[in-house]
């Protein structure tokens, strides 16, 4: 059974993903959650405090999903490729990445921190796998794993933006497949 706090956070998570921070009003949260204003402000002092709690939960959920994938079976490079191919609702975008385009989120250190921390965690985890892929001779030693990890993340996040702008999954799919070709051609060239 979900508590009123859980309902508020879950509702805010969904609304932030759908509408962003600016487009998510306290009234919309209360109406969708079926919780009154008094109860909302009893648990959270402001919209920003509730949004931060929702962002932190979304970040933790996303990190756990990515952790399971990156710690899964296969070689380090295979796990990076699995991350790139991960099933998702492309046109909806990344529930964390979408908030980075919101000016009020970016301007507020507390609201920006869950985004920054999530992207840093994913980048570090990818860099570790790419470093291991170099050790396994699956990637050339001359590639900087940190730079390559940032590229992997940028292709995914940028692909979402391009797909949403075109209202088509094709730009995302092409960007991801292009990076996969580059990574796997490095494998073939390195052998």
């Amino acid at each position: 059974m979900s508590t009123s706090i859980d309902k508020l956070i879950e509702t805010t998570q969904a609304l932030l993903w759908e509408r962003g921070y600016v487009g998510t009003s306290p009234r919309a949260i209360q109406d969708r959650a079926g919780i009154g204003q008094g109860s909302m402000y009893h648990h959270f002092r402001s919209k920003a405090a509730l949004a931060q709690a929702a962002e932190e939960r979304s970040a933790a959920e996303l990190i756990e999903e990515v952790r399971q994938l990156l710690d899964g079976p296969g070689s380090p490079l295979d796990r990076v490729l699995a991350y790139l191919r991960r099933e998702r609702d492309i046109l909806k975008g990344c529930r964390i990445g979408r908030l980075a385009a919101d000016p009020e989120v970016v301007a507020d250190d507390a609201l920006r921190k869950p985004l920054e921390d999530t992207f840093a965690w994913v980048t570090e985890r990818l860099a570790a796998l790419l470093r291991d892929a170099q050790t396994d001779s699956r990637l050339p030693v001359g590639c900087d794993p940190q730079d390559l990890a940032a590229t992997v993340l940028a292709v995914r996040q940028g692909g979402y933006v391009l797909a949403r702008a075109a209202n088509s999954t094709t730009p995302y799919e092409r960007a991801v497949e292009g990076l996969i070709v580059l990574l796997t051609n490095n494998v073939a060239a390195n052998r």
Side-chain angles (χ1 to χ4, degrees):
M1 179 129 208
S2 197
T3 67
S4 59
I5 293 174
D6 286 331
K7 282 184 185 177
L8 286 166
I9 291 173
E10 289 165 9
T11 299
T12 304
Q13 284 179 280
L15 288 170
L16 288 174
W17 197 3
E18 292 168 19
R19 303 177 183 184
Y21 181 78
V22 172
T24 299
S25 69
R27 171 60 53 206
I29 295 167
Q30 294 159 20
D31 288 349
R32 190 177 288 185
I35 292 175
Q37 181 178 359
S39 181
M40 182 176 134
Y41 288 111
H42 171 74
H43 296 298
F44 298 97
R45 69 186 183 287
S46 65
K47 172 187 163 182
L50 176 53
Q52 183 179 351
E55 285 179 11
E56 288 168 354
R57 184 176 292 177
S58 290
E61 290 169 357
L62 181 64
I63 285 172
E64 185 53 34
E65 290 169 19
V66 172
R67 181 189 322 274
Q68 288 178 15
L69 195 62
L70 296 180
D71 290 349
S75 73
L77 185 58
D78 289 340
R79 288 183 269 161
V80 171
L81 298 179
Y83 168 75
L84 282 166
R85 292 182 172 124
R86 186 175 140 235
E87 290 295 316
R88 69 209 69 70
D89 186 348
I90 294 168
L91 293 179
K92 201 168 178 183
C94 173
R95 59 187 162 192
I96 296 297
R98 283 198 57 193
L99 293 171
D102 197 311
E104 288 190 34
V105 170
V106 174
D108 184 308
D109 290 343
L111 291 175
R112 190 181 62 253
K113 186 165 177 34
L115 284 61
E116 186 178 354
D117 290 349
T118 300
F119 289 145
W121 183 89
V122 172
T123 301
E124 288 304 317
R125 188 64 185 104
L126 288 168
L129 287 171
L130 292 164
R131 213 171 283 109
D132 290 346
Q134 286 177 323
T135 301
D136 293 348
S137 300
R138 300 277 315 264
L139 282 176
V141 176
C143 295
D144 183 303
Q146 201 71 33
D147 291 347
L148 197 50
T151 301
V152 170
L153 185 59
V155 165
R156 282 200 49 155
Q157 293 301 316
Y160 286 131
V161 171
L162 296 174
R164 289 176 57 80
N167 196 31
S168 168
T169 61
T170 301
Y172 179 94
E173 293 160 351
R174 291 184 74 188
V176 166
E177 287 307 313
L179 181 56
I180 288 171
V181 166
L182 289 172
L183 290 170
T184 55
N185 279 347
N186 268 324
V187 169
N190 208 36
R191 287 188 176 171

